[in-house]
């Protein structure tokens, strides 16, 4: 059995940094740091590829949920080039988390995301 070369926690931290980047320039840099150039993001509401489209999905989430941030929910678990983790979208004003989900990421040899498969576990009716 070979040793694990992947740092799942760092990859997820960069992923969440991208989702929490508010300014366009910061978002562009964070997406580039987290994803490969041809990386993809797929969930029930989106299926995109490449930095520009991924940044567009993230910007859309910020427009839909102003004043919210994404936070890790539970531990990151991984094996080989794949990790999974839960997250919540938290209202900074009152701490409520109306949206929650679970993502599975696949990493390249440098620890950047090649693919995200996202699942939404809790979504408000008006979303």
């Amino acid at each position: 059995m070979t040793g694990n070369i992947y740092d799942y926690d760092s990859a997820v931290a960069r992923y969440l940094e991208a989702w929490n980047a508010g300014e366009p320039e910061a978002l562009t840099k964070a997406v580039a740091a987290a994803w490969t150039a041809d990386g993809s993001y797929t969930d029930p509401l989106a299926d995109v590829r490449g930095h520009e489209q991924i940044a567009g999905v993230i910007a859309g989430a910020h427009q839909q949920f102003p004043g919210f941030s994404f936070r890790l929910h539970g531990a990151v678990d991984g094996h080989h080039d794949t990790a999974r983790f839960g997250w919540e979208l938290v209202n900074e004003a009152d701490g409520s988390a109306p949206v929650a989900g679970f993502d599975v990421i696949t990493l390249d040899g440098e620890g950047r995301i090649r693919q995200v498969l996202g699942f939404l576990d809790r979504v408000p009716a008006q979303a």
Side-chain angles (χ1 to χ4, degrees):
M1 194 167 210
T2 61
N4 181 11
I5 63 167
Y6 298 99
D7 183 348
Y8 308 118
D9 290 319
S10 291
V12 171
R14 286 191 309 275
Y15 174 79
L16 292 173
E17 184 177 330
W19 277 96
N20 288 323
E23 299 300 317
E25 185 176 329
L27 176 55
T28 298
K29 287 180 181 180
V31 168
W35 271 270
T36 61
D38 65 344
S40 65
Y41 177 84
T42 303
D43 72 13
L45 305 174
D47 186 10
V48 297
R49 179 172 298 281
H51 292 171
E52 187 175 319
Q53 290 183 2
I54 292 167
V57 168
I58 293 171
H62 285 275
Q63 289 175 348
Q64 187 173 4
F65 294 97
F68 284 73
S69 63
F70 287 86
R71 299 221 179 116
L72 183 65
H73 182 71
V76 177
D77 182 29
H79 63 80
H80 296 85
D81 64 348
T82 304
R84 65 180 180 163
F85 58 95
W87 53 265
E88 292 181 316
L89 185 58
V90 179
N91 184 324
E92 295 294 335
D94 66 14
S96 64
V99 182
F102 195 89
D103 289 353
V104 177
I105 61 174
T106 305
L107 304 174
D108 73 358
E110 297 177 2
R112 291 173 63 212
I113 299 168
R114 288 186 294 136
Q115 180 182 42
V116 176
L117 298 174
F119 298 85
L120 300 174
D121 298 327
R122 182 173 62 238
V123 180
Q126 68 273 18

